[in-house]
Amino acid sequence: QDVVTSLAGTPIADNGTVPFRSDDRLNFSYIVSRYQMGQTLRAGILRKGKPQTVALTLKPFDNLVPGPQYDVRPSYYIFGGLVFMPLTANYLSLWKNGTAPSQLENYYENGMATRDRKEIVFINEVLPHDLNVGYHGLKQAVVVQVNGRPISELKDVVEAFRHPLGSFHLVELDHAAGEGDNFGNWIVLDAKEAKAATEEILKSFGIPKDRSDDLGEESVLSAPGTIDAQGERDP
């Protein structure tokens, strides 16, 4: 990893500050704030222990959690009764006065999207069935991997469930995130029974599709109703 030593010719101290008016110091982001998007900023770095100067073109901050959206239905995918969703500002607004789980709030306030993680995918809740006994109390459980495949965005979950690990599906969770009975790091589902169980669950809860329209190919059932932002049935 590179170590940034200066910005626009101004040296950055070990604590991430730069000089400002006499003996005052500010966070190095002060230097960045003086430039506009699209402008180029020269930075001094240490790369593999050797000093270099590189040109950085400023781009808009790519949020890990998208801000408020309007006239947009929430994305979801249901498998084995597990309701997978991407974290959004719309979802966090269901809580009042900043009472959402602290880890989810932190993703919203400070998270930046990367090539390896484009959004936060979590299990909002579990629709109960014999297949998922033992996991009914899970809520807001952030997903790390499914069947050994890293989850960067919701569509990765859909693809990962096409590749069971032998006789089972294995979901790895971030133990530090969420609330409810998030005491374990893994969910294990019987792969042979999962498809039939998913169809039974959708019919039982009156959910016509196992996924939102933005996920493309879908499993459509005859039961009426839609699924809302909290994973609950909306007749």
Side-chain angles (χ1 to χ4, degrees):
Q1 295 183 349
D2 297 335
V3 177
V4 181
T5 58
S6 67
L7 286 175
T10 301
I12 300 176
D14 291 343
N15 63 355
T17 63
V18 295
F20 179 75
R21 290 190 312 193
S22 185
D23 295 330
D24 295 333
R25 301 190 69 85
L26 293 176
N27 185 276
F28 74 90
S29 59
Y30 162 72
I31 299 293
V32 180
S33 69
R34 296 167 59 189
Y35 289 78
Q36 300 294 322
M37 296 298 173
Q39 288 188 302
T40 298
L41 179 65
R42 300 193 69 79
I45 64 172
L46 285 177
R47 179 172 293 172
K48 296 182 179 179
K50 297 181 179 180
Q52 297 184 31
T53 300
V54 296
L56 304 176
T57 300
L58 300 185
K59 298 179 180 180
F61 186 82
D62 192 2
N63 293 301
L64 184 59
V65 179
Q69 298 173 304
Y70 304 95
D71 297 323
V72 176
R73 289 183 176 273
S75 299
Y76 72 90
Y77 177 63
I78 301 173
F79 186 87
L82 310 178
V83 182
F84 296 89
M85 298 178 64
L87 184 63
T88 64
N90 290 20
Y91 179 83
L92 291 172
S93 69
L94 296 173
W95 281 269
K96 304 300 182 183
N97 302 320
T99 57
S102 59
Q103 187 77 352
L104 301 188
E105 286 281 3
N106 182 59
Y107 284 131
Y108 176 59
E109 295 291 342
N110 303 307
M112 184 171 64
T114 65
R115 285 179 296 180
D116 297 326
R117 199 170 203 181
K118 298 177 181 178
E119 59 188 12
I120 296 297
V121 177
F122 67 102
I123 298 172
N124 186 36
E125 64 177 293
V126 179
L127 305 176
H129 185 275
D130 288 346
L131 177 76
N132 54 45
V133 169
Y135 307 115
H136 296 172
L138 282 174
K139 289 184 180 297
Q140 293 86 48
V142 174
V143 179
V144 178
Q145 294 188 28
V146 174
N147 292 332
R149 295 168 176 254
I151 301 303
S152 172
E153 53 189 326
L154 185 57
K155 68 179 183 180
D156 295 336
V157 175
V158 180
E159 178 62 26
F161 276 122
R162 295 188 176 119
H163 305 277
L165 298 177
S167 301
F168 299 96
H169 291 293
L170 187 62
V171 180
E172 181 182 351
L173 306 176
D174 180 350
H175 183 64
E179 60 183 14
D181 296 338
N182 297 356
F183 302 128
N185 291 334
W186 304 92
I187 295 176
V188 182
L189 301 177
D190 187 293
K192 186 176 181 180
E193 298 178 4
K195 183 177 180 180
T198 298
E199 294 179 356
E200 292 173 5
I201 292 167
L202 296 179
K203 289 179 180 178
S204 176
F205 283 85
I207 303 171
K209 298 182 292 186
D210 68 345
R211 68 197 74 181
S212 51
D213 292 341
D214 58 304
L215 292 179
E217 180 185 353
E218 57 197 15
S219 172
V220 181
L221 302 180
S222 59
T226 58
I227 190 165
D228 67 11
Q230 299 184 60
E232 298 176 349
R233 187 167 65 89
D234 179 20

